[in-house]
Structures are given as structure tokens and as C-alpha cells.
Amino acid sequence: AAALEHLDKAFANDRLPKLVKPVAGRMQAEFKSVGAEAMPLTGTTVVKFRQYFDKIPVYGSLVTVELDKRNACLGINSSLGTPAGVSNIAQISPAQAAAAAAKAAGVAVATVTQTPRLYFYFDQHQRRWCLAYILENVSSRPASRSAQGDSPLKDYVVDAKTGKLIAELPRT
């Protein structure tokens, strides 16, 4: 609670003009804690938040607030996004997104057991924000038959409007 209060104060502080709470159209950014970690070496606590718009997370967003033993703010680090002009309603089903990921991975749809999750995602190639399903830790077929070992794990990003594959992100 203390970390979120410090974050809200920082967004409202006129002396920090580059740290503003993102607004995308009519959507207000929300921040939900993803955990807190005690730092034994410094005696501080680091609280991490993920950014959301309309209950949908922004892929890659992270805000870190470091607190001392009295819950005073020592520092804030942020990576935020503003997915303006993006609808928050998917046009394809999670099952269709799983099928697109399976096809890209070269595996049967039945082997993709991960649940597709909606995110606001910045497509680096198209240089635009989109609503996307992301399937994490999907096993893909090795590129060659002679490849040994486990199948490489990847995250698959599927456009929630068109069903097209946006990106394959290696887990390594």
C-alpha cells in the first residue's frame, strides 16, 4: 500500500514532468502489485507493479518502487506503455489463438495446453500497439530432425483482431 501511495504521489508531482500516469483514450492506467522482495544487503523492500488498462496488462510494463525500513520511498524505476487507439475487445477466440501458435510451432493443437492471455502489445515490426493473445512456454518442433535434446520453448504472440502471428519470442 505504501509503495502504491508513493507511486501515485510521483505521478502527481509537477517536479517530475517526464513521469506521468499513462492515459490511452478513455482508459486510465492501473497498477497491480506482482510481488515484493526484501533486499537483505540494503535492508530495503522492492515492490513491483504491472500496468493495466481496462484489466488487460501491458506486455513488458514494470514499475519498481524501493522502500526503506520506514516505508519511505528511495527510488522508482518504470517501463510504461500507452496503447492509444487500440480496442480492448478481441475478435478471435483463445482457441483460435492457440491454433495459430500451434501452427507456428509446428506442433498439433492438442499439445498446446497453455492458456492464451490477452495483453496490450507493441508490435516492433509494424511500429504500433495492438491487442494480442500471448501463449507462454510453448514447445516447438526442432528445426532439424538431427537436433537433439528438448524442444525449444517460445512465447507466441497472436493478434487478437486478425489471428495472425505477430512474434515468436524465445524463452532463453
Side-chain angles (χ1 to χ4, degrees), residues 4 7 11 20-24 27-34 48-64 78-84 118-121 129:
L4 190 55
L7 183 59
F11 283 135
V20 292
K21 191 171 190 176
V23 176
M27 298 184 293
Q28 289 281 336
E30 297 177 74
F31 297 89
K32 295 181 183 178
S33 175
V34 293
K48 296 179 181 181
F49 297 92
R50 175 164 282 141
Q51 178 187 14
Y52 288 76
F53 285 98
D54 279 349
K55 298 183 178 30
I56 301 171
V58 176
Y59 185 82
S61 68
L62 185 67
V63 178
T64 304
S78 67
S79 177
L80 303 173
T82 307
L118 276 176
Y119 285 86
F120 287 109
Y121 179 84
W129 282 97

mmCIF file of all heavy atoms in Angstrom, residues 4 7 11 20-24 27-34 48-64 78-84 118-121 129:
data_model
loop_
_atom_site.group_PDB
_atom_site.id
_atom_site.type_symbol
_atom_site.label_atom_id
_atom_site.label_comp_id
_atom_site.label_asym_id
_atom_site.label_seq_id
_atom_site.Cartn_x
_atom_site.Cartn_y
_atom_site.Cartn_z
ATOM 1 N N LEU A 4 2.381 1.856 -3.488
ATOM 2 C CA LEU A 4 1.394 2.394 -4.424
ATOM 3 C C LEU A 4 1.102 3.864 -4.124
ATOM 4 O O LEU A 4 0.956 4.674 -5.043
ATOM 5 C CB LEU A 4 0.113 1.560 -4.379
ATOM 6 C CG LEU A 4 -0.925 1.853 -5.455
ATOM 7 C CD1 LEU A 4 -0.341 1.734 -6.856
ATOM 8 C CD2 LEU A 4 -2.110 0.914 -5.308
ATOM 9 N N LEU A 7 3.923 5.840 -5.524
ATOM 10 C CA LEU A 7 3.811 5.888 -6.978
ATOM 11 C C LEU A 7 2.774 6.921 -7.407
ATOM 12 O O LEU A 7 3.029 7.742 -8.301
ATOM 13 C CB LEU A 7 3.457 4.504 -7.527
ATOM 14 C CG LEU A 7 3.372 4.374 -9.037
ATOM 15 C CD1 LEU A 7 4.686 4.751 -9.706
ATOM 16 C CD2 LEU A 7 2.975 2.950 -9.410
ATOM 17 N N PHE A 11 3.408 10.367 -9.679
ATOM 18 C CA PHE A 11 2.669 10.729 -10.891
ATOM 19 C C PHE A 11 2.065 12.125 -10.782
ATOM 20 O O PHE A 11 1.960 12.841 -11.769
ATOM 21 C CB PHE A 11 1.558 9.718 -11.180
ATOM 22 C CG PHE A 11 2.028 8.424 -11.778
ATOM 23 C CD1 PHE A 11 1.546 7.227 -11.312
ATOM 24 C CD2 PHE A 11 2.932 8.402 -12.824
ATOM 25 C CE1 PHE A 11 1.958 6.026 -11.862
ATOM 26 C CE2 PHE A 11 3.360 7.216 -13.390
ATOM 27 C CZ PHE A 11 2.871 6.020 -12.898
ATOM 28 N N VAL A 20 4.560 10.573 -15.917
ATOM 29 C CA VAL A 20 3.122 10.850 -15.932
ATOM 30 C C VAL A 20 2.361 9.534 -16.008
ATOM 31 O O VAL A 20 2.819 8.564 -16.613
ATOM 32 C CB VAL A 20 2.714 11.762 -17.107
ATOM 33 C CG1 VAL A 20 3.274 13.156 -16.942
ATOM 34 C CG2 VAL A 20 3.131 11.168 -18.431
ATOM 35 N N LYS A 21 1.210 9.504 -15.378
ATOM 36 C CA LYS A 21 0.369 8.313 -15.412
ATOM 37 C C LYS A 21 -0.250 8.199 -16.801
ATOM 38 O O LYS A 21 -0.970 9.091 -17.239
ATOM 39 C CB LYS A 21 -0.723 8.412 -14.343
ATOM 40 C CG LYS A 21 -1.477 7.128 -14.125
ATOM 41 C CD LYS A 21 -2.379 7.244 -12.916
ATOM 42 C CE LYS A 21 -2.959 5.911 -12.523
ATOM 43 N NZ LYS A 21 -3.746 6.024 -11.292
ATOM 44 N N PRO A 22 0.039 7.119 -17.514
ATOM 45 C CA PRO A 22 -0.472 6.994 -18.882
ATOM 46 C C PRO A 22 -2.000 6.936 -18.954
ATOM 47 O O PRO A 22 -2.659 6.345 -18.115
ATOM 48 C CB PRO A 22 0.119 5.663 -19.354
ATOM 49 C CG PRO A 22 1.290 5.429 -18.472
ATOM 50 C CD PRO A 22 0.909 6.012 -17.147
ATOM 51 N N VAL A 23 -2.515 7.574 -20.000
ATOM 52 C CA VAL A 23 -3.932 7.542 -20.330
ATOM 53 C C VAL A 23 -4.010 7.209 -21.812
ATOM 54 O O VAL A 23 -3.341 7.830 -22.630
ATOM 55 C CB VAL A 23 -4.613 8.907 -20.052
ATOM 56 C CG1 VAL A 23 -6.056 8.885 -20.497
ATOM 57 C CG2 VAL A 23 -4.490 9.283 -18.594
ATOM 58 N N ALA A 24 -4.807 6.204 -22.150
ATOM 59 C CA ALA A 24 -4.982 5.798 -23.549
ATOM 60 C C ALA A 24 -6.454 5.973 -23.903
ATOM 61 O O ALA A 24 -7.279 5.142 -23.551
ATOM 62 C CB ALA A 24 -4.533 4.357 -23.746
ATOM 63 N N MET A 27 -9.223 5.164 -21.385
ATOM 64 C CA MET A 27 -8.716 4.185 -20.426
ATOM 65 C C MET A 27 -7.647 4.805 -19.524
ATOM 66 O O MET A 27 -6.707 5.433 -20.012
ATOM 67 C CB MET A 27 -8.108 2.975 -21.154
ATOM 68 C CG MET A 27 -9.088 2.210 -22.015
ATOM 69 S SD MET A 27 -8.363 0.720 -22.767
ATOM 70 C CE MET A 27 -7.169 1.412 -23.901
ATOM 71 N N GLN A 28 -7.817 4.628 -18.226
ATOM 72 C CA GLN A 28 -6.845 5.077 -17.230
ATOM 73 C C GLN A 28 -5.930 3.910 -16.873
ATOM 74 O O GLN A 28 -6.390 2.780 -16.742
ATOM 75 C CB GLN A 28 -7.559 5.541 -15.956
ATOM 76 C CG GLN A 28 -8.316 6.831 -16.092
ATOM 77 C CD GLN A 28 -7.388 8.024 -16.011
ATOM 78 O OE1 GLN A 28 -6.310 7.961 -15.454
ATOM 79 N NE2 GLN A 28 -7.825 9.123 -16.589
ATOM 80 N N ALA A 29 -4.653 4.188 -16.711
ATOM 81 C CA ALA A 29 -3.718 3.143 -16.297
ATOM 82 C C ALA A 29 -3.970 2.775 -14.846
ATOM 83 O O ALA A 29 -4.247 3.634 -14.013
ATOM 84 C CB ALA A 29 -2.284 3.617 -16.477
ATOM 85 N N GLU A 30 -3.897 1.480 -14.568
ATOM 86 C CA GLU A 30 -3.965 0.963 -13.205
ATOM 87 C C GLU A 30 -2.677 0.192 -12.962
ATOM 88 O O GLU A 30 -2.057 -0.304 -13.912
ATOM 89 C CB GLU A 30 -5.129 -0.003 -13.033
ATOM 90 C CG GLU A 30 -6.500 0.586 -13.225
ATOM 91 C CD GLU A 30 -7.545 -0.510 -13.097
ATOM 92 O OE1 GLU A 30 -7.790 -0.950 -11.956
ATOM 93 O OE2 GLU A 30 -8.067 -0.945 -14.132
ATOM 94 N N PHE A 31 -2.308 0.055 -11.706
ATOM 95 C CA PHE A 31 -1.100 -0.670 -11.366
ATOM 96 C C PHE A 31 -1.426 -1.705 -10.298
ATOM 97 O O PHE A 31 -2.004 -1.375 -9.267
ATOM 98 C CB PHE A 31 -0.010 0.295 -10.894
ATOM 99 C CG PHE A 31 0.400 1.245 -11.982
ATOM 100 C CD1 PHE A 31 -0.251 2.450 -12.151
ATOM 101 C CD2 PHE A 31 1.393 0.887 -12.870
ATOM 102 C CE1 PHE A 31 0.100 3.310 -13.176
ATOM 103 C CE2 PHE A 31 1.745 1.739 -13.910
ATOM 104 C CZ PHE A 31 1.097 2.950 -14.065
ATOM 105 N N LYS A 32 -1.065 -2.959 -10.586
ATOM 106 C CA LYS A 32 -1.324 -4.051 -9.657
ATOM 107 C C LYS A 32 0.006 -4.667 -9.254
ATOM 108 O O LYS A 32 0.864 -4.926 -10.110
ATOM 109 C CB LYS A 32 -2.220 -5.111 -10.295
ATOM 110 C CG LYS A 32 -3.611 -4.582 -10.616
ATOM 111 C CD LYS A 32 -4.475 -5.658 -11.230
ATOM 112 C CE LYS A 32 -5.833 -5.080 -11.613
ATOM 113 N NZ LYS A 32 -6.692 -6.072 -12.245
ATOM 114 N N SER A 33 0.137 -4.928 -7.970
ATOM 115 C CA SER A 33 1.372 -5.497 -7.452
ATOM 116 C C SER A 33 1.575 -6.914 -7.982
ATOM 117 O O SER A 33 0.650 -7.721 -8.015
ATOM 118 C CB SER A 33 1.336 -5.521 -5.926
ATOM 119 O OG SER A 33 2.489 -6.167 -5.429
ATOM 120 N N VAL A 34 2.808 -7.189 -8.373
ATOM 121 C CA VAL A 34 3.168 -8.544 -8.779
ATOM 122 C C VAL A 34 4.114 -9.172 -7.764
ATOM 123 O O VAL A 34 4.580 -10.285 -7.960
ATOM 124 C CB VAL A 34 3.789 -8.583 -10.199
ATOM 125 C CG1 VAL A 34 2.748 -8.217 -11.235
ATOM 126 C CG2 VAL A 34 4.997 -7.703 -10.303
ATOM 127 N N LYS A 48 7.085 -4.512 -6.925
ATOM 128 C CA LYS A 48 6.944 -4.419 -8.380
ATOM 129 C C LYS A 48 5.472 -4.400 -8.758
ATOM 130 O O LYS A 48 4.660 -5.104 -8.170
ATOM 131 C CB LYS A 48 7.643 -5.597 -9.052
ATOM 132 C CG LYS A 48 9.140 -5.584 -8.824
ATOM 133 C CD LYS A 48 9.809 -6.758 -9.470
ATOM 134 C CE LYS A 48 11.308 -6.697 -9.175
ATOM 135 N NZ LYS A 48 12.030 -7.796 -9.797
ATOM 136 N N PHE A 49 5.166 -3.577 -9.766
ATOM 137 C CA PHE A 49 3.799 -3.426 -10.259
ATOM 138 C C PHE A 49 3.772 -3.650 -11.760
ATOM 139 O O PHE A 49 4.705 -3.299 -12.470
ATOM 140 C CB PHE A 49 3.269 -2.006 -9.992
ATOM 141 C CG PHE A 49 3.166 -1.641 -8.545
ATOM 142 C CD1 PHE A 49 4.214 -1.004 -7.897
ATOM 143 C CD2 PHE A 49 2.015 -1.926 -7.821
ATOM 144 C CE1 PHE A 49 4.115 -0.659 -6.561
ATOM 145 C CE2 PHE A 49 1.917 -1.590 -6.490
ATOM 146 C CZ PHE A 49 2.968 -0.954 -5.856
ATOM 147 N N ARG A 50 2.667 -4.211 -12.238
ATOM 148 C CA ARG A 50 2.402 -4.323 -13.667
ATOM 149 C C ARG A 50 1.323 -3.307 -14.021
ATOM 150 O O ARG A 50 0.414 -3.052 -13.249
ATOM 151 C CB ARG A 50 1.930 -5.729 -14.035
ATOM 152 C CG ARG A 50 1.533 -5.822 -15.521
ATOM 153 C CD ARG A 50 1.419 -7.202 -16.048
ATOM 154 N NE ARG A 50 2.769 -7.684 -16.302
ATOM 155 C CZ ARG A 50 3.174 -8.916 -16.060
ATOM 156 N NH1 ARG A 50 2.359 -9.799 -15.553
ATOM 157 N NH2 ARG A 50 4.400 -9.291 -16.331
ATOM 158 N N GLN A 51 1.427 -2.749 -15.214
ATOM 159 C CA GLN A 51 0.486 -1.742 -15.699
ATOM 160 C C GLN A 51 -0.672 -2.416 -16.432
ATOM 161 O O GLN A 51 -0.462 -3.348 -17.208
ATOM 162 C CB GLN A 51 1.225 -0.796 -16.644
ATOM 163 C CG GLN A 51 0.379 0.279 -17.257
ATOM 164 C CD GLN A 51 1.149 1.063 -18.321
ATOM 165 O OE1 GLN A 51 2.200 0.659 -18.770
ATOM 166 N NE2 GLN A 51 0.586 2.174 -18.728
ATOM 167 N N TYR A 52 -1.885 -1.918 -16.188
ATOM 168 C CA TYR A 52 -3.100 -2.440 -16.826
ATOM 169 C C TYR A 52 -3.928 -1.292 -17.384
ATOM 170 O O TYR A 52 -3.917 -0.182 -16.849
ATOM 171 C CB TYR A 52 -3.983 -3.161 -15.801
ATOM 172 C CG TYR A 52 -3.463 -4.482 -15.320
ATOM 173 C CD1 TYR A 52 -2.425 -4.564 -14.400
ATOM 174 C CD2 TYR A 52 -4.018 -5.674 -15.771
ATOM 175 C CE1 TYR A 52 -1.948 -5.781 -13.952
ATOM 176 C CE2 TYR A 52 -3.557 -6.901 -15.325
ATOM 177 C CZ TYR A 52 -2.522 -6.942 -14.419
ATOM 178 O OH TYR A 52 -2.056 -8.142 -13.985
ATOM 179 N N PHE A 53 -4.667 -1.583 -18.443
ATOM 180 C CA PHE A 53 -5.720 -0.719 -18.957
ATOM 181 C C PHE A 53 -6.950 -1.602 -19.096
ATOM 182 O O PHE A 53 -6.882 -2.654 -19.752
ATOM 183 C CB PHE A 53 -5.362 -0.121 -20.325
ATOM 184 C CG PHE A 53 -4.343 0.978 -20.278
ATOM 185 C CD1 PHE A 53 -3.013 0.729 -20.531
ATOM 186 C CD2 PHE A 53 -4.732 2.267 -19.960
ATOM 187 C CE1 PHE A 53 -2.078 1.741 -20.493
ATOM 188 C CE2 PHE A 53 -3.806 3.298 -19.912
ATOM 189 C CZ PHE A 53 -2.470 3.036 -20.177
ATOM 190 N N ASP A 54 -8.063 -1.206 -18.521
ATOM 191 C CA ASP A 54 -9.299 -1.991 -18.585
ATOM 192 C C ASP A 54 -9.069 -3.458 -18.222
ATOM 193 O O ASP A 54 -9.526 -4.371 -18.898
ATOM 194 C CB ASP A 54 -9.952 -1.901 -19.963
ATOM 195 C CG ASP A 54 -10.759 -0.636 -20.141
ATOM 196 O OD1 ASP A 54 -10.987 0.075 -19.153
ATOM 197 O OD2 ASP A 54 -11.182 -0.362 -21.280
ATOM 198 N N LYS A 55 -8.286 -3.679 -17.174
ATOM 199 C CA LYS A 55 -7.992 -5.016 -16.642
ATOM 200 C C LYS A 55 -7.146 -5.885 -17.580
ATOM 201 O O LYS A 55 -7.002 -7.081 -17.373
ATOM 202 C CB LYS A 55 -9.259 -5.747 -16.233
ATOM 203 C CG LYS A 55 -10.022 -5.034 -15.124
ATOM 204 C CD LYS A 55 -11.232 -5.815 -14.687
ATOM 205 C CE LYS A 55 -12.007 -5.210 -13.571
ATOM 206 N NZ LYS A 55 -12.086 -3.837 -13.338
ATOM 207 N N ILE A 56 -6.565 -5.292 -18.620
ATOM 208 C CA ILE A 56 -5.681 -6.003 -19.546
ATOM 209 C C ILE A 56 -4.264 -5.494 -19.315
ATOM 210 O O ILE A 56 -4.009 -4.297 -19.382
ATOM 211 C CB ILE A 56 -6.111 -5.768 -21.011
ATOM 212 C CG1 ILE A 56 -7.544 -6.249 -21.231
ATOM 213 C CG2 ILE A 56 -5.144 -6.456 -21.972
ATOM 214 C CD1 ILE A 56 -8.125 -5.861 -22.572
ATOM 215 N N PRO A 57 -3.311 -6.414 -19.051
ATOM 216 C CA PRO A 57 -1.942 -5.966 -18.790
ATOM 217 C C PRO A 57 -1.243 -5.447 -20.047
ATOM 218 O O PRO A 57 -1.576 -5.837 -21.171
ATOM 219 C CB PRO A 57 -1.250 -7.228 -18.272
ATOM 220 C CG PRO A 57 -2.054 -8.362 -18.775
ATOM 221 C CD PRO A 57 -3.465 -7.862 -18.935
ATOM 222 N N VAL A 58 -0.265 -4.577 -19.826
ATOM 223 C CA VAL A 58 0.581 -4.064 -20.899
ATOM 224 C C VAL A 58 1.846 -4.919 -20.902
ATOM 225 O O VAL A 58 2.577 -4.952 -19.917
ATOM 226 C CB VAL A 58 0.923 -2.579 -20.685
ATOM 227 C CG1 VAL A 58 1.889 -2.086 -21.753
ATOM 228 C CG2 VAL A 58 -0.351 -1.736 -20.665
ATOM 229 N N TYR A 59 2.077 -5.629 -21.999
ATOM 230 C CA TYR A 59 3.210 -6.532 -22.095
ATOM 231 C C TYR A 59 4.520 -5.753 -21.924
ATOM 232 O O TYR A 59 4.739 -4.752 -22.585
ATOM 233 C CB TYR A 59 3.207 -7.260 -23.432
ATOM 234 C CG TYR A 59 4.285 -8.297 -23.553
ATOM 235 C CD1 TYR A 59 4.115 -9.558 -23.005
ATOM 236 C CD2 TYR A 59 5.483 -8.014 -24.201
ATOM 237 C CE1 TYR A 59 5.109 -10.520 -23.098
ATOM 238 C CE2 TYR A 59 6.469 -8.965 -24.302
ATOM 239 C CZ TYR A 59 6.283 -10.208 -23.742
ATOM 240 O OH TYR A 59 7.271 -11.153 -23.832
ATOM 241 N N GLY A 60 5.362 -6.233 -21.023
ATOM 242 C CA GLY A 60 6.664 -5.612 -20.792
ATOM 243 C C GLY A 60 6.657 -4.464 -19.805
ATOM 244 O O GLY A 60 7.709 -3.917 -19.484
ATOM 245 N N SER A 61 5.491 -4.084 -19.311
ATOM 246 C CA SER A 61 5.447 -2.981 -18.359
ATOM 247 C C SER A 61 5.909 -3.467 -16.984
ATOM 248 O O SER A 61 5.642 -4.597 -16.595
ATOM 249 C CB SER A 61 4.045 -2.394 -18.255
ATOM 250 O OG SER A 61 3.157 -3.333 -17.657
ATOM 251 N N LEU A 62 6.594 -2.601 -16.281
ATOM 252 C CA LEU A 62 7.032 -2.914 -14.927
ATOM 253 C C LEU A 62 7.398 -1.618 -14.230
ATOM 254 O O LEU A 62 8.120 -0.791 -14.782
ATOM 255 C CB LEU A 62 8.233 -3.859 -14.933
ATOM 256 C CG LEU A 62 8.694 -4.353 -13.576
ATOM 257 C CD1 LEU A 62 7.639 -5.265 -12.939
ATOM 258 C CD2 LEU A 62 10.008 -5.100 -13.708
ATOM 259 N N VAL A 63 6.871 -1.439 -13.029
ATOM 260 C CA VAL A 63 7.232 -0.301 -12.191
ATOM 261 C C VAL A 63 7.792 -0.882 -10.898
ATOM 262 O O VAL A 63 7.181 -1.753 -10.287
ATOM 263 C CB VAL A 63 6.024 0.610 -11.881
ATOM 264 C CG1 VAL A 63 6.424 1.752 -10.969
ATOM 265 C CG2 VAL A 63 5.423 1.143 -13.173
ATOM 266 N N THR A 64 8.969 -0.404 -10.508
ATOM 267 C CA THR A 64 9.621 -0.876 -9.295
ATOM 268 C C THR A 64 9.742 0.292 -8.322
ATOM 269 O O THR A 64 10.242 1.359 -8.699
ATOM 270 C CB THR A 64 11.028 -1.418 -9.624
ATOM 271 O OG1 THR A 64 10.896 -2.430 -10.617
ATOM 272 C CG2 THR A 64 11.689 -2.002 -8.393
ATOM 273 N N SER A 78 10.660 2.772 -13.917
ATOM 274 C CA SER A 78 9.460 2.372 -14.644
ATOM 275 C C SER A 78 9.727 2.088 -16.114
ATOM 276 O O SER A 78 10.618 2.676 -16.723
ATOM 277 C CB SER A 78 8.378 3.453 -14.529
ATOM 278 O OG SER A 78 8.785 4.619 -15.216
ATOM 279 N N SER A 79 8.931 1.186 -16.637
ATOM 280 C CA SER A 79 8.842 0.903 -18.054
ATOM 281 C C SER A 79 7.348 0.832 -18.345
ATOM 282 O O SER A 79 6.691 -0.136 -17.960
ATOM 283 C CB SER A 79 9.530 -0.424 -18.369
ATOM 284 O OG SER A 79 9.370 -0.724 -19.736
ATOM 285 N N LEU A 80 6.820 1.891 -18.979
ATOM 286 C CA LEU A 80 5.378 2.022 -19.167
ATOM 287 C C LEU A 80 5.029 2.104 -20.646
ATOM 288 O O LEU A 80 5.878 2.412 -21.475
ATOM 289 C CB LEU A 80 4.867 3.279 -18.463
ATOM 290 C CG LEU A 80 5.144 3.373 -16.965
ATOM 291 C CD1 LEU A 80 4.749 4.735 -16.426
ATOM 292 C CD2 LEU A 80 4.395 2.282 -16.243
ATOM 293 N N GLY A 81 3.774 1.852 -20.954
ATOM 294 C CA GLY A 81 3.298 1.966 -22.322
ATOM 295 C C GLY A 81 1.956 2.662 -22.362
ATOM 296 O O GLY A 81 1.228 2.693 -21.375
ATOM 297 N N THR A 82 1.627 3.225 -23.529
ATOM 298 C CA THR A 82 0.346 3.896 -23.726
ATOM 299 C C THR A 82 -0.284 3.373 -25.011
ATOM 300 O O THR A 82 -0.043 3.907 -26.091
ATOM 301 C CB THR A 82 0.531 5.432 -23.799
ATOM 302 O OG1 THR A 82 1.250 5.864 -22.656
ATOM 303 C CG2 THR A 82 -0.811 6.143 -23.849
ATOM 304 N N PRO A 83 -1.079 2.307 -24.908
ATOM 305 C CA PRO A 83 -1.679 1.709 -26.104
ATOM 306 C C PRO A 83 -2.891 2.487 -26.615
ATOM 307 O O PRO A 83 -4.020 2.005 -26.589
ATOM 308 C CB PRO A 83 -2.059 0.311 -25.635
ATOM 309 C CG PRO A 83 -2.306 0.463 -24.180
ATOM 310 C CD PRO A 83 -1.364 1.526 -23.709
ATOM 311 N N ALA A 84 -2.659 3.698 -27.080
ATOM 312 C CA ALA A 84 -3.741 4.554 -27.570
ATOM 313 C C ALA A 84 -4.294 4.028 -28.891
ATOM 314 O O ALA A 84 -3.567 3.483 -29.714
ATOM 315 C CB ALA A 84 -3.232 5.981 -27.749
ATOM 316 N N LEU A 118 -4.777 -12.281 -22.878
ATOM 317 C CA LEU A 118 -4.807 -11.002 -23.597
ATOM 318 C C LEU A 118 -3.831 -10.006 -22.983
ATOM 319 O O LEU A 118 -3.725 -9.891 -21.749
ATOM 320 C CB LEU A 118 -6.207 -10.394 -23.555
ATOM 321 C CG LEU A 118 -7.197 -10.878 -24.585
ATOM 322 C CD1 LEU A 118 -8.562 -10.243 -24.346
ATOM 323 C CD2 LEU A 118 -6.727 -10.588 -25.998
ATOM 324 N N TYR A 119 -3.149 -9.277 -23.848
ATOM 325 C CA TYR A 119 -2.239 -8.203 -23.453
ATOM 326 C C TYR A 119 -2.354 -7.078 -24.467
ATOM 327 O O TYR A 119 -2.701 -7.312 -25.631
ATOM 328 C CB TYR A 119 -0.771 -8.661 -23.502
ATOM 329 C CG TYR A 119 -0.328 -9.555 -22.390
ATOM 330 C CD1 TYR A 119 -0.513 -10.933 -22.462
ATOM 331 C CD2 TYR A 119 0.313 -9.044 -21.267
ATOM 332 C CE1 TYR A 119 -0.078 -11.774 -21.451
ATOM 333 C CE2 TYR A 119 0.743 -9.881 -20.249
ATOM 334 C CZ TYR A 119 0.552 -11.235 -20.351
ATOM 335 O OH TYR A 119 0.987 -12.063 -19.357
ATOM 336 N N PHE A 120 -1.995 -5.879 -24.041
ATOM 337 C CA PHE A 120 -1.694 -4.827 -24.992
ATOM 338 C C PHE A 120 -0.216 -5.025 -25.320
ATOM 339 O O PHE A 120 0.619 -5.143 -24.428
ATOM 340 C CB PHE A 120 -1.937 -3.431 -24.407
ATOM 341 C CG PHE A 120 -3.397 -3.105 -24.280
ATOM 342 C CD1 PHE A 120 -4.009 -3.047 -23.045
ATOM 343 C CD2 PHE A 120 -4.165 -2.855 -25.403
ATOM 344 C CE1 PHE A 120 -5.350 -2.751 -22.923
ATOM 345 C CE2 PHE A 120 -5.519 -2.559 -25.291
ATOM 346 C CZ PHE A 120 -6.106 -2.505 -24.048
ATOM 347 N N TYR A 121 0.104 -5.099 -26.607
ATOM 348 C CA TYR A 121 1.441 -5.457 -27.050
ATOM 349 C C TYR A 121 1.899 -4.461 -28.108
ATOM 350 O O TYR A 121 1.139 -4.122 -29.020
ATOM 351 C CB TYR A 121 1.415 -6.876 -27.631
ATOM 352 C CG TYR A 121 2.735 -7.374 -28.150
ATOM 353 C CD1 TYR A 121 3.662 -7.949 -27.290
ATOM 354 C CD2 TYR A 121 3.060 -7.273 -29.498
ATOM 355 C CE1 TYR A 121 4.881 -8.417 -27.765
ATOM 356 C CE2 TYR A 121 4.277 -7.739 -29.975
ATOM 357 C CZ TYR A 121 5.181 -8.302 -29.109
ATOM 358 O OH TYR A 121 6.382 -8.757 -29.577
ATOM 359 N N TRP A 129 0.683 -0.307 -31.522
ATOM 360 C CA TRP A 129 0.107 -1.077 -30.426
ATOM 361 C C TRP A 129 -1.012 -1.952 -30.964
ATOM 362 O O TRP A 129 -1.704 -1.563 -31.915
ATOM 363 C CB TRP A 129 -0.472 -0.143 -29.358
ATOM 364 C CG TRP A 129 0.573 0.452 -28.485
ATOM 365 C CD1 TRP A 129 1.147 1.684 -28.615
ATOM 366 C CD2 TRP A 129 1.178 -0.148 -27.347
ATOM 367 N NE1 TRP A 129 2.070 1.873 -27.619
ATOM 368 C CE2 TRP A 129 2.111 0.761 -26.819
ATOM 369 C CE3 TRP A 129 1.026 -1.380 -26.709
ATOM 370 C CZ2 TRP A 129 2.884 0.490 -25.698
ATOM 371 C CZ3 TRP A 129 1.789 -1.656 -25.589
ATOM 372 C CH2 TRP A 129 2.705 -0.727 -25.096
#
